[in-house]
């Protein structure tokens, strides 16, 4: 057992109270243990780790396996999750920081290795609330690891490696690109050794002598580009660390690709950065792989050798890699300087599509992290990405950035408003009728405040100019322009919907297929698709006003807006000026701006089909015990994302007069059609994760965790004292009836009402009549508010828009839907655009 003197006092005298120890003792006399409800004490999940499954005979339940580390407050135990429970991880129902009850488990011995075995969790129950066990634990790492008697000396059981001994390392929980675990070495000092550079060969010599007999003389090169990691593991592959990483290296003769293979990646990937000088021996050469992405390097003005690439292998032969200390680098080596191609926002429209550029900007908006399933054979994989806005003072518009994971997990998860962001090797994407955006490439690297020191770009003139501009800004003014998280899509769907678009970009699915798409979504996975049909009902809902949330309560990603009391700021501004100009102006007191007060009135006839969130009766009944719930929340307030349903109000409670006219419309045939519909797909109302929030420095850590993916390891996080304002005055609950009138689906529509919203950037703003159909088609209310004289008061009221909804009667439309799994049983279904038949082409 782990020798941990700091925990001995914790174990002493309370061992008998340990549920995990008692369970392990009982497993000594039985193959599988079923625990009764009264015996299944709750345990907290403190780590959830993923790795490629061992190949088994018969049907493979999942490509990946999971080790889950739990604690009862006395011991911690790493257990194997039975593959039949993997779906709980896929939906983020089983997550770190949560509480579970183990109802069935077994002890599995490794038959091919002495002294190795583990607990296998076969059945469990997930609790909705944060764990009360963790409230009693000061430091999780101080708790001793529970190991079966006789296995105390097992290195595997004590190390950060999978319980399935055929696998040597963990993968990142939500993608395959990020380094994960203790095996990844970083921060090691460079060598101060004396190098013999007298026999160094040039890259040009390698290119010319590749097909001839040659002896690998040492190389002295500088890294000028670095790609993200590539994991190529699959079943049957007998490689312990199947990783690959490309680098572009240069010397005085030109540039060439270098490939780092397998276990050299954990040892060197995080130590090799742009600007690092390498002394290489025992490398090999091979013909370049042509079907891969490459950085655009014309700005380096050096010859590029693309026919061969340098391979660094862990064996046969074992390459020798020496990282040269910066103070040992001599000018006479002739290594080139690092060159960048920083582009100002004002120059972006002039760049050709797919051309590369580097940018620097001040972040004003950061979207939540989402995932999209990758294509190809082998084990399924997901890409993680997020949308970011950044300004540089040269344009009224921000950079719109689609950032995919760059194997820099620490930086990617800490991008937030008010930080200086540098992105290299971004690719330009031009959008017809809208603003261009930038998407990351395989060679993109990102850096934020705190990571710029020592980077080669710090002396670039464009960077220095940007820093000078930021000194003219006022933090309190910039903060008023910031936002975090929520539903965000870019670019907007095109003006016309075509069959070719349906075949290649946005699948046009049958209503029955939509059900399957909803059921198979995994946590934070995003899909865009189209469905034909007609709009059968629409209802406007305004989120309730705040009702005195207690200190240190923050929104849970598992909570419906219907159960929340949140604050919405006014969308009006005080002066007519551009966005960049407003950043340097004096801050105005937005709290004093007027806000229209409307109450939501929900009719009894539509409540059953349009009920927000389908809240169970028990959950509604539980709201009677509000005071008791508040006391419990206060006790657990040290942990972020506490459930706040104890103080929530349903939209029904917001209706002062249930007999008055409601803000809704429905088709004249909808009452009859409801009886004929075989299935009504309703995944809830508008979830907390769907709503963008204002960024505040006090809530930085909470907002970061809220917008990021569920972490692999639990860490205590104290919450802020108040909720940040939410940027959404109201939304429309839309019921879409499939074209064959067999299946209906509810979707949410949030119109853009202010030019200050993140969704307003790049939004085509052709004037329209503010009818219900034109709003659904355009995505915004016309005109967007942006001055005191053109404020929210001048926008059409929901009742005015709904008064025009009769044009939806029996109208054939194509709806573009964005689906995103938000965790648990919550699936976000948002309307991106509605096409009339006149906007649909069969070409």
């Amino acid at each position: 057992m782990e020798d941990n003197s700091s925990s001995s006092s914790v174990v002493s005298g309370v061992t008998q109270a340990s549920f995990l120890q008692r369970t392990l003792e009982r497993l000594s006399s039985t193959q599988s243990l079923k625990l009764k409800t009264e015996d299944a004490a709750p345990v907290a999940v403190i780590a959830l780790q993923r790795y490629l499954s061992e190949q088994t005979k018969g049907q493979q339940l999942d490509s990946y396996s999971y080790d889950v580390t739990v604690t009862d407050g006395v011991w911690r135990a790493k257990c194997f999750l039975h593959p039949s429970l993997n779906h709980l991880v896929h939906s983020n129902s089983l997550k770190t920081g949560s509480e579970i009850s183990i109802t069935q488990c077994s002890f599995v011995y490794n038959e091919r290795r002495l002294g190795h075995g583990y607990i296998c969790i076969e059945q469990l129950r997930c609790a909705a609330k944060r764990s009360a066990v963790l409230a009693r634990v000061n430091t999780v790492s101080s708790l001793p690891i529970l190991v079966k008697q006789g296995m105390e000396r097992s290195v595997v059981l004590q190390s950060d490696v999978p319980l399935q001994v055929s696998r040597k390392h963990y993968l990142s929980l939500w993608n395959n690109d990020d380094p994960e675990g203790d095996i990844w070495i970083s921060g090691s000092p460079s060598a101060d050794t004396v190098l013999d550079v007298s026999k160094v060969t040039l890259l040009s010599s390698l290119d010319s002598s590749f097909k001839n007999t040659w002896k690998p003389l040492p190389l002295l090169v500088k890294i000028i580009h670095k790609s993200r990691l590539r994991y190529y593991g699959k079943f049957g592959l007998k490689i312990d660390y199947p990783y690959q990483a490309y680098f572009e290296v240069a010397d005085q003769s030109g540039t060439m690709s270098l490939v780092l293979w397998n276990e050299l990646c954990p040892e060197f990937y995080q130590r090799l950065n742009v600007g690092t000088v390498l002394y290489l021996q025992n490398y090999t050469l091979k013909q370049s792989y042509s079907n891969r992405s490459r950085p655009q390097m014309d700005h380096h003005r050096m010859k590029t050798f693309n026919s061969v690439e340098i391979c660094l292998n862990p064996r046969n032969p074992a390459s020798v890699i020496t990282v040269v200390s910066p103070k040992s680098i001599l000018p006479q080596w002739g290594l080139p300087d690092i060159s960048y191609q920083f582009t100002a926002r004002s120059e972006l429209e002039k760049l050709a599509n797919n051309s590369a550029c580097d940018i620097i900007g001040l972040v004003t908006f950061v979207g939540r992290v989402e995932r999209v399933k990758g294509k190809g054979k082998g084990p399924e994989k997901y890409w993680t990405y997020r949308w970011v806005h950044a300004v540089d003072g040269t344009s009224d518009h921000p950079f719109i950035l689609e950032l995919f994971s760059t194997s820099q997990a620490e930086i990617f998860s800490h991008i937030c408003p008010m930080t200086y962001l540098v992105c290299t090797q971004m690719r330009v994407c031009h959008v017809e009728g809208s603003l261009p955006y930038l998407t990351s490439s395989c060679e993109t690297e990102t850096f934020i405040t705190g990571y710029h020191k020592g980077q080669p770009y710090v002396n670039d003139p464009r960077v220095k100019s940007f820093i000078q501009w930021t000194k003219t800004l006022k933090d309190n003014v910039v903060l008023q322009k910031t936002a975090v998280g929520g539903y965000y899509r870019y670019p907007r769907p095109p003006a016309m919907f075509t069959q070719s678009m349906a075949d290649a970009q946005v699948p046009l699915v049958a209503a029955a297929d939509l059900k399957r798409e909803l059921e198979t979504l995994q946590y934070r996975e995003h899909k865009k698709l189209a469905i034909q049909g007609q709009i059968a009902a629409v209802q406007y809902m305004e989120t309730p006003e705040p009702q005195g949330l207690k200190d240190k309560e923050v929104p849970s990603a598992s909570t419906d807006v219907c159960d929340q009391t949140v604050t919405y700021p006014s969308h009006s501004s005080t002066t007519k000026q551009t966005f960049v100009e407003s950043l340097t102006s004096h801050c105005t007191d937005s709290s004093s701006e007027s806000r229209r007060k409307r109450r939501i009135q929900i009719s009894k006839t539509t409540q059953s089909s349009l009920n927000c969130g389908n809240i169970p009766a028990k959950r509604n009944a539980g709201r009677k015990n509000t005071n008791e719930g508040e006391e419990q929340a206060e006790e657990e307030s040290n942990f972020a994302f506490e459930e706040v349903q104890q103080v929530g109000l349903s939209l029904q409670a917001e209706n002062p007069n249930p007999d008055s006219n409601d803000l809704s419309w429905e088709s004249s045939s909808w009452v009859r059609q409801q009886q004929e519909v075989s299935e009504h797909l309703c995944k809830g109302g508008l979830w907390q994760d769907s709503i963008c929030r204002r960024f505040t420095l006090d809530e930085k850590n909470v907002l970061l965790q809220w917008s990021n993916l569920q972490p692999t390891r639990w860490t205590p996080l104290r919450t802020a004292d108040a909720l940040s304002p939410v940027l959404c005055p109201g939304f429309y609950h839309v019921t879409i009836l499939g074209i064959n009138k067999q299946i209906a689906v509810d979707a949410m529509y949030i119109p853009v009402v202010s030019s200050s919203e993140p969704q307003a950037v790049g939004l085509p703003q052709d004037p329209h009549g503010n009818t219900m159909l034109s709003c659904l088609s355009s995505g915004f209310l016309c005109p967007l508010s942006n001055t005191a004289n053109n404020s929210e008061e001048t926008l059409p009221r929901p009742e005015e828009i709904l008064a025009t909804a009769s044009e939806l009667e029996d109208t054939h439309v194509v709806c573009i839907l964005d689906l995103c799994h938000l965790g648990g049983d919550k699936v976000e279904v948002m309307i991106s655009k509605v096409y009339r038949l006149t906007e649909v082409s069969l070409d």
Side-chain angles (χ1 to χ4, degrees):
M1 189 178 303
E2 187 180 64
D3 182 13
N4 196 326
S5 58
S6 63
S7 62
S8 60
S9 60
V10 177
V11 179
S12 178
V14 294
T15 305
Q16 297 303 315
S18 170
F19 163 76
L20 290 175
Q21 187 179 43
R22 187 167 62 250
T23 300
L24 184 60
E25 291 170 352
R26 294 176 64 183
L27 284 171
S28 300
S29 58
T30 181
Q31 182 177 3
S32 181
L33 180 63
K34 290 186 178 181
L35 300 171
K36 298 179 181 178
T37 303
E38 57 270 20
D39 296 331
V43 294
V45 179
I46 56 176
L48 193 57
Q49 297 168 291
R50 181 177 70 107
Y51 51 96
L52 188 67
S53 298
E54 291 183 329
Q55 193 166 14
T56 58
K57 295 181 180 179
Q59 184 177 5
Q60 191 80 26
L61 291 176
D62 196 352
S63 301
Y64 302 98
S65 296
Y66 298 89
D67 291 343
V68 53
T69 304
V70 297
T71 181
D72 57 8
V74 180
W75 296 87
R76 52 186 166 128
K78 184 191 287 188
C79 307
F80 178 73
L81 189 70
H82 192 274
S84 64
L85 301 179
N86 284 5
H87 67 95
L88 297 175
V89 180
H90 299 164
S91 65
N92 199 39
S93 299
L94 177 61
K95 56 189 177 182
T96 53
S98 65
E99 198 165 86
I100 63 172
S101 295
I102 302 172
T103 56
Q104 182 173 322
C105 59
S106 60
F107 194 87
V108 179
Y109 289 91
N110 188 307
E111 297 179 358
R112 295 185 177 89
R113 174 171 292 199
L114 296 174
H116 181 66
Y118 49 82
I119 297 173
C120 175
I121 300 176
E122 298 172 338
Q123 291 182 19
L124 60 83
R125 290 193 305 269
C126 295
K129 293 184 178 181
R130 287 280 160 177
S131 173
V133 173
L134 293 175
R136 306 191 299 267
V137 178
N138 292 326
T139 308
V140 170
S141 59
S142 68
L143 298 177
I145 299 174
L146 184 64
V147 178
K148 192 176 181 65
Q149 187 175 2
M151 299 183 179
E152 294 88 350
R153 290 183 294 175
S154 171
V155 175
V156 172
L157 295 175
Q158 303 285 352
S159 306
D160 186 35
V161 293
L163 291 174
Q164 302 286 328
V165 293
S166 65
R167 302 303 178 199
K168 305 300 182 185
H169 67 93
Y170 287 114
L171 295 168
S172 176
L173 186 56
W174 303 115
N175 66 34
N176 290 348
D177 307 314
D178 294 335
E180 175 62 37
D182 296 340
I183 63 167
W184 295 86
I185 300 173
S186 61
S188 299
S190 304
D192 249 345
T193 57
V194 177
L195 303 176
D196 180 9
V197 298
S198 60
K199 298 181 179 180
V200 165
T201 188
L202 296 177
L203 296 177
S204 56
S205 301
L206 299 184
D207 183 68
S208 59
S209 62
F210 169 58
K211 295 183 179 180
N212 304 320
T213 302
W214 65 283
K215 182 180 179 181
L217 296 173
L219 285 172
L220 189 63
V221 293
K222 178 183 287 188
I223 297 174
I224 60 173
H225 289 288
K226 177 180 180 178
S227 75
R228 64 170 171 243
L229 275 173
R230 174 177 172 257
Y231 174 76
Y232 62 95
K234 59 183 179 180
F235 297 133
L237 185 66
K238 303 297 184 182
I239 297 177
D240 290 337
Y241 302 93
Y243 284 100
Q244 174 199 65
Y246 270 92
F247 299 82
E248 302 301 320
V249 297
D251 62 13
Q252 58 186 285
S253 67
T255 71
M256 185 176 288
S257 295
L258 177 150
V259 196
L260 196 65
W261 286 98
N262 303 333
E263 52 258 59
L264 290 182
C265 287
E267 184 178 355
F268 284 100
Y269 180 78
Q270 293 187 312
R271 297 169 56 192
L272 306 186
N273 301 301
V274 172
T276 299
V277 174
L278 302 176
Y279 184 75
L280 305 175
Q281 303 171 83
N282 287 3
Y283 55 89
T284 60
L285 297 179
K286 73 169 186 176
Q287 188 171 356
S288 291
Y289 181 59
S290 59
N291 190 23
R292 74 172 182 92
S293 69
R294 294 177 182 270
Q296 294 184 13
M297 299 190 294
D298 293 342
H299 62 287
H300 290 290
R301 297 179 181 177
M302 289 187 290
K303 187 172 183 179
T304 303
F305 305 110
N306 287 330
S307 60
V308 298
E309 57 191 29
I310 304 162
C311 296
L312 301 180
N313 300 289
R315 62 187 64 84
N316 300 324
S319 298
V320 179
I321 305 172
T322 303
V323 179
V324 182
S325 171
K327 61 183 180 182
S328 301
I329 300 173
L330 300 177
Q332 53 264 40
W333 293 351
L335 297 176
D337 294 330
I338 303 299
S339 175
Y340 292 91
Q341 46 186 350
F342 279 99
T343 298
R345 177 59 187 85
S346 59
E347 302 168 334
L348 192 58
E349 277 78 4
K350 303 174 186 177
L351 298 183
N353 193 60
N354 201 41
S355 59
C357 66
D358 308 319
I359 67 100
I360 183 170
L362 175 66
V363 176
T364 56
F365 165 72
V366 179
R368 68 190 179 203
V369 180
E370 295 182 352
R371 303 195 298 156
V372 62
K373 185 177 290 188
K375 298 179 181 179
K377 299 179 181 179
E380 66 179 10
K381 62 180 180 181
Y382 285 85
W383 305 106
T384 54
Y385 69 99
R386 71 193 322 167
W387 289 91
V388 174
H389 291 177
V391 296
D392 69 354
T394 67
S395 170
D396 295 344
H397 305 297
F399 288 109
I400 304 174
L401 309 173
E402 183 186 32
L403 295 181
F404 285 83
S405 172
T406 57
S407 301
Q408 299 168 285
E410 188 69 16
I411 292 176
F412 185 77
S413 63
H414 282 82
I415 300 174
C416 66
M418 305 298 289
T419 190
Y420 297 166
L421 173 67
V422 168
C423 302
T424 64
Q425 285 292 313
M426 299 291 287
R427 298 301 174 95
V428 178
C429 299
H430 284 288
V431 182
E432 184 178 354
S434 192
L435 300 177
Y437 69 97
L438 298 172
T439 188
S440 52
S441 64
C442 288
E443 296 77 32
T444 291
E445 287 193 286
T446 58
F447 301 93
I448 58 175
T449 302
Y451 292 84
H452 297 305
K453 185 177 180 180
Q455 295 300 329
Y457 55 73
V458 294
N459 292 318
D460 189 283
R462 291 286 183 105
V463 174
K464 290 184 175 180
S465 176
F466 167 80
I467 297 300
Q468 288 301 314
W469 171 73
T470 61
K471 292 179 180 179
T472 68
L473 305 180
K474 297 177 176 60
D475 285 353
N476 58 349
V477 178
V478 180
L479 280 168
Q480 292 297 315
K481 309 290 182 180
T482 59
V484 177
Y487 166 75
Y488 179 90
R489 291 293 167 258
Y490 196 85
R492 286 275 300 171
M496 294 291 292
F497 184 82
T498 64
Q499 186 62 52
S500 60
M501 175 182 166
D503 294 338
Q505 301 174 21
V506 184
L508 183 62
V509 302
D513 294 332
L514 175 61
K515 178 186 177 183
R516 182 167 60 253
E517 296 286 357
L518 290 169
E519 291 174 343
T520 57
L521 278 175
Q522 293 194 23
Y523 173 57
R524 288 282 182 91
E525 179 183 1
H526 168 250
K527 287 184 180 179
K528 182 186 289 289
L529 46 81
I531 183 173
Q532 296 186 75
Q534 65 186 51
I535 295 174
V538 184
Q539 185 174 23
Y540 181 79
M541 293 181 173
E542 184 177 276
T543 310
E545 295 288 347
Q547 297 293 328
L549 284 174
K550 296 185 72 67
D551 287 350
K552 295 186 174 65
E553 290 178 12
V554 292
S556 168
S558 65
T559 310
D560 195 323
V561 165
C562 299
D563 305 318
Q564 294 293 312
T565 53
V566 289
T567 306
Y568 294 102
S570 170
H571 286 276
S572 62
S573 56
T574 57
T575 55
K576 187 174 183 178
Q577 55 194 180
T578 67
F579 177 74
V580 172
E581 289 171 343
S582 69
L583 288 178
T584 58
S585 66
H586 291 287
C587 181
T588 60
D589 184 7
S590 61
S591 63
S592 64
E593 298 174 8
S594 62
R595 183 173 185 273
R596 192 164 64 244
K597 304 293 183 181
R598 291 191 299 266
R599 294 298 183 183
I600 300 171
Q601 301 165 2
I602 302 175
S603 69
K604 297 178 180 178
T605 57
T606 60
Q607 186 63 32
S608 60
S609 62
L610 294 175
N611 183 32
C612 184
N614 293 331
I615 304 169
K618 290 183 178 180
R619 187 170 169 186
N620 278 323
R623 295 199 184 99
K624 297 178 182 178
N625 300 322
T626 303
N627 293 334
E628 296 176 10
E630 289 177 348
E631 292 175 1
Q632 182 177 357
E634 184 70 18
E635 293 175 359
E636 300 175 6
S637 63
N638 285 344
F639 304 100
F641 305 102
E642 191 68 56
E643 293 281 0
V644 293
Q645 66 185 34
Q646 298 96 327
V647 295
L649 295 176
S650 71
L651 288 180
Q652 291 166 293
E654 189 71 13
N655 184 5
N657 184 3
D659 296 326
S660 61
N661 294 328
D662 61 295
L663 294 177
S664 65
W665 169 89
E666 64 178 36
S667 167
S668 59
S669 56
W670 177 230
V671 174
R672 172 181 55 80
Q673 290 170 335
Q674 285 185 83
Q675 310 304 318
E676 301 171 356
V677 166
S678 60
E679 193 152 14
H680 192 147
L681 305 177
C682 180
K683 294 295 182 179
L686 189 68
W687 307 102
Q688 280 284 347
D689 276 4
S690 301
I691 305 177
C692 183
R693 291 188 175 276
R694 182 72 71 207
F695 177 77
T696 68
L697 294 174
D698 289 339
E699 290 186 303
K700 175 182 174 180
N701 291 334
V702 173
L703 291 171
L704 280 175
Q705 186 167 342
W706 172 66
S707 60
N708 280 312
L709 296 169
Q710 188 70 30
T712 297
R713 293 175 177 82
W714 175 83
T715 54
L717 178 66
R718 294 191 176 274
T719 68
D721 291 335
L723 286 171
S724 58
V726 180
L727 309 178
C728 174
F731 62 96
Y732 291 85
H733 194 130
V734 182
T735 299
I736 304 167
L737 182 63
I739 193 171
N740 288 316
K741 299 179 174 57
Q742 296 298 307
I743 294 180
V745 60
D746 287 350
M748 305 302 115
Y749 166 65
I750 305 177
V752 178
V753 299
S754 169
S755 58
S756 65
E757 296 179 43
Q759 285 281 176
V761 178
L763 179 69
Q765 297 181 25
D766 298 328
H768 62 86
N770 284 322
T771 65
M772 190 74 251
L773 186 52
S774 69
C775 290
L776 288 169
S777 176
S778 66
F780 70 99
L781 303 189
C782 183
L784 292 181
S785 63
N786 59 8
T787 69
N789 295 326
N790 181 25
S791 66
E792 191 177 343
E793 296 291 343
T794 67
L795 293 174
R797 296 174 178 270
E799 53 266 33
E800 296 170 346
I801 296 175
L802 286 167
T804 68
S806 57
E807 67 177 320
L808 298 173
E809 187 84 36
D810 297 326
T811 299
H812 186 170
V813 296
V814 174
C815 299
I816 306 298
L817 301 180
D818 285 304
L819 312 181
C820 186
H821 195 296
L822 301 180
D825 60 355
K826 303 176 301 300
V827 176
E828 176 185 85
V829 183
M830 305 293 288
I831 293 179
S832 177
K833 185 176 178 65
V834 173
Y835 290 96
R836 309 172 180 88
L837 276 183
T838 55
E839 299 169 327
V840 174
S841 172
L842 300 180
D843 296 337

